[in-house]
Amino acid sequence: MKKEKLLVPFIAASVLVGASVTTPVFSHSAYAASSVSVYQKDVNSLADYYAPFYKTVEKKLKEIEGIKDDEKALAAYDQLADQIDQFLTKTDKNYAMNHLNSEADQLQGYLYDSLIALYNYIVDLEDYAYGDVSDAEFNKISANFEKEINAYNTQFQQKAKSYKTKRKVTFNANMSYLLDEDIQPSPTAPSTPADSNGTYTVKKGDTLTAVAKKYGMTVAELKKLNNLKTDALKVGQVLKVKSTSASSPAPAPQASVSAKQQQIVSYAKTLIGKPYKYGGTTPKGFDVSGYTQYVYKNAGSNISIPRTVADQYKSGTDVKQNSLQAGDLVFFKNGKSVSVVGIYLDKQEFIYVSSKGVKTQSLSTAYWKNSYAGAKRIIK
């Protein structure tokens, strides 16, 4: 039996989101008059409960991808199925859907039932491995599973977007993760810059620690600079600060882009909209590293780079984030492992393959800033 037959087509965490099994829709008249904060608490509480487990599932699937021994791979799948079963049982007992408003109930239903879909697929995969399911049957099961999961994900995305618009709530980092970053949490308010005189006027809610952090100072430095004897601040109080430390360092001036770098970028953009496909290496469907490898090979530069994200991360030379140039490979991690690669374009924008296909994103958004792992320069 070929090894690849044992591997679940790895679906990005966002594609695991959601399912359509009916969940109770409760009539909560009290919610009709509830403040936005109640809805905000509900939806973020939901995300905080589910996201850590989805990350565990994603990590486990990646680990299984690297197992070469069929028997060990099956044992790992069996363990994952048990983990899913235990999580669902725990959820049934301790995280009742009826404590949420009806719209959040539906969001939970998509999350909960997506795990059931994955659990059932793993059971079918194990049956196939032991010869209880034929090749033709398993191919059909796999196709149906991917179709079902993608449909569930679409439902979840649509419901979440509707919820956000209708309820005027923002999503935290965990909800953004579950949504494959298609809906970003509201960006953090930029640090208040110092005025031209290097001072800062204290506002309601400010603390010495917060102000010091804004300007890259320690509390001790801030107190010494202002001859403060206590940590107490008053609204309207004017503090001396380091005016040059208020914001992130400005990117270094970008060197002239070579013809090869421009070829890479131009060609990468022509593939925007091409679909995602597990293991894909052609415009019929790409995975993240299949896309970058294909672009480098076919952009007119005929440059060969390794196939996997991990190996691409080992290639080229390291580049600091404030020295990025067009065509550089940018990498992102989920947990401790580097799992996503894209191609830097310009002005903090990069291009990569999401579960929705080839698209551009900004390094300045919260998710990508937090998961940024580094960059490599392949060409000069």
Side-chain angles (χ1 to χ4, degrees):
M1 178 163 38
K2 293 183 179 180
K3 169 67 176 67
E4 59 265 27
K5 290 292 186 181
L6 287 179
L7 293 179
V8 165
F10 179 69
I11 310 298
S14 66
V15 181
L16 289 173
V17 171
S20 58
V21 177
T22 303
T23 58
V25 177
F26 297 88
S27 177
H28 292 251
S29 57
Y31 273 93
S34 293
S35 66
V36 169
S37 63
V38 173
Y39 287 99
Q40 184 77 68
K41 182 178 180 181
D42 267 359
V43 75
N44 286 341
S45 170
L46 184 68
D48 290 341
Y49 180 82
Y50 277 91
F53 187 70
Y54 277 93
K55 291 176 182 179
T56 297
V57 171
E58 183 182 20
K59 180 180 179 182
K60 190 67 174 181
L61 286 173
K62 287 181 180 179
E63 290 174 355
I64 296 174
E65 279 188 312
I67 299 176
K68 297 180 179 180
D69 182 88
D70 285 354
E71 189 173 336
K72 290 181 180 179
L74 278 172
Y77 278 126
D78 193 50
Q79 182 183 49
L80 177 57
D82 284 344
Q83 286 179 292
I84 294 172
D85 184 49
Q86 290 169 15
F87 179 81
L88 294 175
T89 300
K90 171 188 171 185
T91 300
D92 287 339
K93 291 180 178 179
N94 303 322
Y95 201 77
M97 284 183 252
N98 64 358
H99 85 286
L100 301 169
N101 66 79
S102 61
E103 290 169 300
D105 271 339
Q106 292 176 56
L107 285 175
Q108 166 151 341
Y110 297 134
L111 295 167
Y112 180 95
D113 296 323
S114 68
L115 294 173
I116 293 178
L118 179 60
Y119 175 89
N120 289 335
Y121 183 82
I122 292 174
V123 172
D124 289 329
L125 181 141
E126 291 177 331
D127 287 342
Y128 169 72
Y130 289 116
D132 297 330
V133 175
S134 68
D135 284 359
E137 289 174 319
F138 187 68
N139 287 337
K140 185 176 180 180
I141 288 169
S142 297
N144 288 339
F145 169 72
E146 188 161 356
K147 182 179 179 181
E148 180 184 28
I149 285 295
N150 277 295
Y152 295 161
N153 183 51
T154 298
Q155 291 173 312
F156 183 79
Q157 294 272 0
Q158 291 174 342
K159 174 58 65 175
K161 289 177 182 178
S162 172
Y163 188 92
K164 183 177 184 181
T165 302
K166 185 176 180 181
R167 299 302 177 194
K168 303 186 186 306
V169 301
T170 57
F171 292 142
N172 65 7
N174 277 331
M175 180 57 76
S176 183
Y177 165 83
L178 292 172
L179 289 163
D180 189 32
E181 303 86 54
D182 284 335
I183 298 179
Q184 293 287 345
S186 296
T188 302
S191 299
T192 305
D195 63 25
S196 58
N197 295 318
T199 60
Y200 174 75
T201 302
V202 176
K203 296 178 177 59
K204 185 177 181 180
D206 279 338
T207 64
L208 273 180
T209 300
V211 175
K213 186 176 180 180
K214 284 181 181 180
Y215 297 100
M217 303 172 67
T218 65
V219 172
E221 288 174 333
L222 186 58
K223 291 177 72 173
K224 182 178 180 181
L225 184 61
N226 290 277
N227 195 29
L228 299 176
K229 304 301 181 183
T230 71
D231 291 348
L233 293 177
K234 295 180 180 180
V235 174
Q237 182 178 356
V238 178
L239 299 174
K240 295 178 182 179
V241 294
K242 293 180 179 179
S243 59
T244 58
S245 303
S247 57
S248 300
Q254 185 167 328
S256 298
V257 178
S258 70
K260 284 188 176 181
Q261 287 172 305
Q262 190 56 54
Q263 283 179 327
I264 293 292
V265 167
S266 297
Y267 188 71
K269 290 180 178 179
T270 68
L271 299 170
I272 289 176
K274 296 298 181 183
Y276 167 84
K277 181 181 179 182
Y278 171 75
T281 58
T282 74
K284 292 183 178 180
F286 292 110
D287 63 19
V288 286
S289 55
Y291 170 68
T292 49
Q293 184 188 52
Y294 183 88
V295 169
Y296 268 81
K297 181 70 175 177
N298 294 278
S301 50
N302 196 32
I303 296 174
S304 295
I305 60 175
R307 172 65 181 89
T308 67
V309 175
D311 287 338
Q312 289 180 15
Y313 189 58
K314 298 174 184 176
S315 303
T317 55
D318 291 328
V319 181
K320 292 183 178 180
Q321 190 170 0
N322 63 356
S323 299
L324 285 169
Q325 292 183 10
D328 289 343
L329 294 178
V330 286
F331 296 86
F332 307 89
K333 58 188 176 182
N334 182 18
K336 294 182 179 180
S337 62
V338 176
S339 56
V340 176
V341 60
I343 298 172
Y344 186 72
L345 301 176
D346 190 19
K347 298 179 180 177
Q348 295 295 296
E349 190 176 42
F350 71 98
I351 190 168
Y352 84 119
V353 180
S354 74
S355 62
K356 302 293 185 182
V358 180
K359 67 178 184 179
T360 61
Q361 285 281 314
S362 173
L363 290 174
S364 62
T365 56
Y367 179 85
W368 297 111
K369 283 173 67 176
N370 292 334
S371 59
Y372 185 79
K376 300 287 183 174
R377 183 160 299 153
I378 307 297
I379 53 179
K380 297 181 180 179

